[in-house]
Amino acid sequence: MNDSFLWGIGSSAHQIEGNRLGRGDSTWDRFSEQPNKIADGFRADVGCDHYHRWREDLALMKDLGLTSARFSLSWPRVEPAEGTVGDWSFYEALTDGYLAAGIEPIVNLFHWDFPLWAEDDGGWNDPRTADRFGRFAATAQSRLGDRVKTWLTFNEPNCFIGDGLMGTVHAPGHNWGWEQGAIAIRTFFRAHRQAMEALNGSVSIALTGPVSCAADGYSKTFDASRRSLWPFALWSDPLLGGEWNKEALLAMPELSLVYEDPPPAPADFITLNLYSGDSPLRPGHAVSAFNWPVTPEVLYWGSRFFSERYSKPILIGENGMAGIEWPDENGEVHDPARVDFLRSHLRALRRAMDEGIPVIGYHHWTLLDNFEWHEGFRKRFGLVYVDFETGKRTPKTSFYAYRDLISE
Ligand code: GCO
């Protein structure tokens, strides 16, 4: 990992790549074809078409002055059927493109697009999936490891397990109970452990959860004593601290089989996806198009509390806002709210860094308006407006603001 501040953006394969015909199907393809699962019924078959437009998108990232950026591998693209060799050349060309642009590639193995061949052969309820994931990680290491030195194993396990396996909002929407959910959580931890063993370089995992934004918010932030997969410490204590969280086991005894395994080795650095914190709200408090309260202090308190608990470098892996914007009569896209969002959140991060908290980077979510999961294309998070019919990219005002902030 280079020693300069990691100015970047985050992204994920299913949300930006398109070219569905060039890969195997994932749980999100099957889920998107079910009625009433995706807003307006649109799918990510083409979307941003980053698969064909990645050179143009890299040029935009270079214009921003980024020093790093995260993309995820589409597992079904590189392994369309179990044991088959898929389209690694796309990711090899992409990685070379990042490096040629002076942008350190941070590669995430799993951002929810689970291959259907694995889903239909046991899925996350089957211990073999941990071995399959380990093989996938080892292949990624062998294909890209000469150029990729920084990895993430998963994005937000509480989301894909909580909302996708034990819920109905995300793919595959099984709505499992605690018994099957616990087996899936055990399989996840085993898969993460195998990936950690397979990957060289710096390895982390992107986590999200509630941060209590107050001087006495540490204990509430790491309280795992309720029957929920949402609290950080259920995940961050084993994944970052190398020890199971005992409160969580008392609250959810169904997880005892998970705790029979040894905890994984701690990750090398912390990656936090933080959008909005638990802060006192006032009437008419600023909110995004997702109605998430705008609370810049979440980046200060989140960085501070995680640094105190795990004393490791911290990357803000995702931070951004859903906006409501479109081109005006001059074809320009103005997003003053996102400009202020950027400035206020980076000020909060600067405050943490000035106190000596080891923040190593900030990855804005995200470069391009893209497929926002069950919200389809309704929620725009991009610094760049995308016309999903023509593919036309239009940098928003916030794109230039981010560029100026990076250069300052
Ligand atoms: C998440 C995912 C991203 C989302 C982003 C906006 O945190 O939910 O990592 O894929 O698109 O956060 O909701």
Side-chain angles (χ1 to χ4, degrees):
M1 186 179 296
N2 60 32
D3 54 7
S4 65
F5 191 73
L6 299 175
W7 287 109
I9 56 99
S11 71
S12 87
H14 191 80
Q15 292 180 273
I16 65 170
E17 287 181 359
N19 189 15
R20 173 183 179 180
L21 297 179
R23 57 173 173 77
D25 275 359
S26 76
T27 49
W28 272 93
D29 295 304
R30 176 179 289 168
F31 188 72
S32 302
E33 283 158 2
Q34 293 168 21
N36 310 317
K37 289 295 184 184
I38 311 296
D40 305 324
F42 295 121
R43 302 192 304 241
D45 295 15
V46 178
C48 304
D49 197 23
H50 178 70
Y51 184 91
H52 296 108
R53 294 170 175 267
W54 64 268
R55 291 174 183 82
E56 177 184 357
D57 297 334
L58 259 182
L60 288 166
M61 291 157 67
K62 191 169 168 55
D63 288 349
L64 280 171
L66 302 186
T67 55
S68 78
R70 163 173 50 136
F71 63 85
S72 79
L73 303 178
S74 165
W75 187 358
R77 188 178 299 285
V78 294
E79 190 177 1
E82 182 154 25
T84 58
V85 178
D87 184 2
W88 280 102
S89 57
F90 169 63
Y91 296 108
E92 293 181 66
L94 193 65
T95 301
D96 291 339
Y98 272 64
L99 293 170
I103 297 171
E104 180 187 356
I106 297 182
V107 177
N108 174 26
L109 297 180
F110 187 84
H111 205 121
W112 307 351
D113 44 353
F114 189 54
L116 271 189
W117 58 260
E119 169 70 7
D120 293 342
D121 185 21
W124 289 101
N125 248 353
D126 188 322
R128 289 176 298 160
T129 291
D131 302 325
R132 291 161 172 160
F133 193 82
R135 284 196 297 275
F136 166 44
T139 308
Q141 173 60 41
S142 68
R143 288 276 180 163
L144 302 174
D146 57 328
R147 292 159 276 186
V148 175
K149 305 303 180 189
T150 311
W151 301 88
L152 302 184
T153 58
F154 284 84
N155 184 75
E156 301 179 2
N158 52 350
C159 275
F160 91 83
I161 295 172
D163 297 333
L165 295 173
M166 296 177 71
T168 58
V169 173
H170 279 189
H174 291 328
N175 209 17
W176 283 345
W178 281 100
E179 185 182 348
Q180 290 182 291
I183 297 170
I185 292 168
R186 181 178 65 181
T187 306
F188 153 73
F189 275 107
R190 290 177 172 179
H192 169 79
R193 186 182 296 111
Q194 291 208 28
M196 289 274 287
E197 288 157 9
L199 298 171
N200 300 332
S202 280
V203 188
S204 182
I205 176 167
L207 300 177
T208 196
V211 173
S212 175
C213 298
D216 62 352
Y218 178 93
S219 52
K220 187 157 181 253
T221 298
F222 294 109
D223 173 12
S225 63
R226 55 195 174 95
R227 288 179 65 79
S228 164
L229 299 187
W230 192 234
F232 267 116
L234 165 63
W235 311 95
S236 56
D237 279 0
L239 292 164
L240 303 176
E243 58 182 35
W244 297 118
N245 181 287
K246 303 288 185 289
E247 278 183 318
L249 182 57
L250 289 174
M252 297 168 277
E254 298 88 343
L255 300 183
S256 58
L257 72 157
V258 179
Y259 286 47
E260 288 165 6
D261 285 348
D268 297 308
F269 64 97
I270 298 166
T271 302
L272 295 178
N273 294 354
L274 298 176
Y275 287 86
S276 178
D278 291 342
S279 293
L281 298 182
R282 306 176 304 281
H285 194 101
V287 294
S288 75
F290 253 140
N291 280 326
W292 298 348
V294 177
T295 58
E297 62 275 14
V298 69
L299 294 193
Y300 170 75
W301 293 109
S303 304
R304 177 168 156 180
F305 293 156
F306 269 79
S307 175
E308 284 170 18
R309 193 170 184 95
Y310 306 109
S311 62
K312 290 176 185 294
I314 296 171
L315 168 67
I316 301 299
E318 292 181 23
N319 173 250
M321 59 166 275
I324 299 176
E325 54 254 356
W326 53 80
D328 65 14
E329 68 274 15
N330 304 315
E332 296 169 353
V333 184
H334 298 285
D335 57 342
R338 187 172 290 104
V339 171
D340 181 66
F341 184 100
L342 268 168
R343 289 182 173 146
S344 59
H345 285 74
L346 288 171
R347 270 197 302 273
L349 206 54
R350 172 85 262 172
R351 179 186 165 203
M353 295 170 73
D354 289 346
E355 291 182 11
I357 293 164
V359 177
I360 57 173
Y362 172 83
H363 281 191
H364 189 73
W365 187 272
T366 182
L367 180 73
L368 304 174
D369 294 338
N370 65 37
F371 180 77
E372 180 50 35
W373 308 113
H374 62 287
E375 282 287 341
F377 296 102
R378 280 191 191 168
K379 298 288 189 294
R380 293 179 175 269
F381 275 86
L383 297 163
V384 176
Y385 181 90
V386 176
D387 179 321
F388 294 106
E389 290 186 301
T390 65
K392 184 174 189 292
R393 274 82 163 130
T394 305
K396 304 175 189 173
T397 319
S398 58
F399 175 94
Y400 302 106
Y402 193 35
R403 181 196 60 187
D404 296 346
L405 283 162
I406 292 171
S407 66
E408 284 157 23

